[in-house]
């Protein structure tokens, strides 16, 4: 709103509303708007020039032809020549399994795989789950929370690589 009041005198009024000229009245906004075309002549054109492309080529050509291929070949060489290279990303790798076993032997991490570990009151959790299921279950359903929790506790998912059969298939 204040900007509109300051910018308002910069515009030329229509012919029917021309104010009378007063001698000695200086308008700085009008002077700045008159000088603006002169200032734009000093600015360079916003376009890509021949020198700009040479500047970018000086960076991108060595990067794409020397640095990136050298890094890729180095990573591939390390992967091929070492059995333990990038073992963190290879499921069932013996070194990863050994480090995981060492981690879970620490008492601070002992029950980390158990989804019920850390609950303050497991019975209260199961009771709340049972009440929520009774309110949300479809009519005629015979599934109970206790039966489902018992079934899930003995479930062995064949597609999860950390189960007994999946790790045995990898060779660990």
């Amino acid at each position: 709103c204040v900007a509109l009041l300051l910018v308002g005198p910069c515009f030329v009024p229509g012919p029917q509303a021309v104010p009378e000229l007063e001698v000695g009245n200086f308008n700085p906004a009008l002077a700045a708007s008159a000088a603006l075309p002169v200032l734009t002549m000093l600015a360079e054109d916003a376009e890509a020039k021949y020198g700009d492309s040479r500047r970018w080529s000086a960076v991108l050509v060595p990067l794409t032809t020397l640095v990136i291929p050298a890094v890729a070949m180095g990573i591939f060489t390390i992967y091929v020549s070492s059995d333990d290279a990038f073992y963190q990303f290879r499921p069932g790798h013996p070194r990863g399994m050994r480090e995981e076993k060492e981690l879970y032997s620490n008492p601070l991490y002992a029950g980390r795989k158990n989804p019920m570990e850390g609950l303050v009151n497991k019975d209260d959790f199961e009771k709340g789950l049972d009440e929520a299921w009774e309110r949300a279950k479809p009519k005629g359903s015979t599934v109970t929370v206790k039966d489902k929790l018992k079934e899930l506790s003995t479930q062995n998912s064949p597609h999860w690589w950390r189960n007994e059969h999946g790790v045995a298939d990898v060779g660990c």
Side-chain angles (χ1 to χ4, degrees):
C1 192
V2 174
L4 290 176
L5 291 175
L6 293 174
V7 176
C10 294
F11 294 100
V12 179
Q16 65 273 18
V18 175
E20 292 183 20
L21 292 176
E22 296 178 19
V23 179
N25 188 7
F26 179 72
N27 188 347
L30 186 63
S33 66
L36 195 58
V38 176
L39 295 176
T40 58
M41 289 180 2
L42 299 174
E44 291 188 34
D45 295 333
E47 62 184 29
K49 295 181 180 169
Y50 181 68
D52 292 340
S53 66
R54 286 191 336 178
R55 237 180 280 147
W56 279 106
S57 297
V59 173
L60 292 176
V61 169
L63 183 70
T64 57
T65 58
L66 297 172
V67 176
I68 294 174
V71 169
M73 285 185 263
I75 289 173
F76 179 74
T77 304
I78 291 170
Y79 178 76
V80 168
S81 65
S82 173
D83 291 336
D84 286 342
F86 313 112
Y87 71 92
Q88 300 95 333
F89 307 114
R90 294 164 61 185
H93 190 275
R95 182 173 172 187
M97 300 300 282
R98 185 179 67 245
E99 287 184 6
E100 184 177 323
K101 191 180 291 184
E102 291 172 5
L103 176 71
Y104 291 130
S105 67
N106 185 340
L108 295 174
Y109 294 97
R112 193 166 179 190
K113 286 186 179 180
N114 183 4
M116 298 294 184
E117 181 71 26
L119 290 176
V120 176
N121 189 350
K122 184 178 175 185
D123 295 331
D124 186 43
F125 169 76
E126 290 178 358
K127 181 182 172 193
L129 184 63
D130 191 28
E131 291 172 2
W133 174 246
E134 290 301 323
R135 281 183 272 149
K137 75 176 180 180
K139 292 181 180 178
S141 175
T142 59
V143 177
T144 64
V145 171
K146 287 185 180 183
D147 294 340
K148 194 65 175 176
L149 286 175
K150 184 177 180 183
E151 176 189 340
L152 290 175
S153 68
T154 60
Q155 180 180 0
N156 187 15
S157 177
H159 303 293
W160 189 45
W161 73 270
R162 289 181 182 259
N163 73 357
E164 298 160 8
H165 303 294
V167 173
D169 293 342
V170 175
C172 300

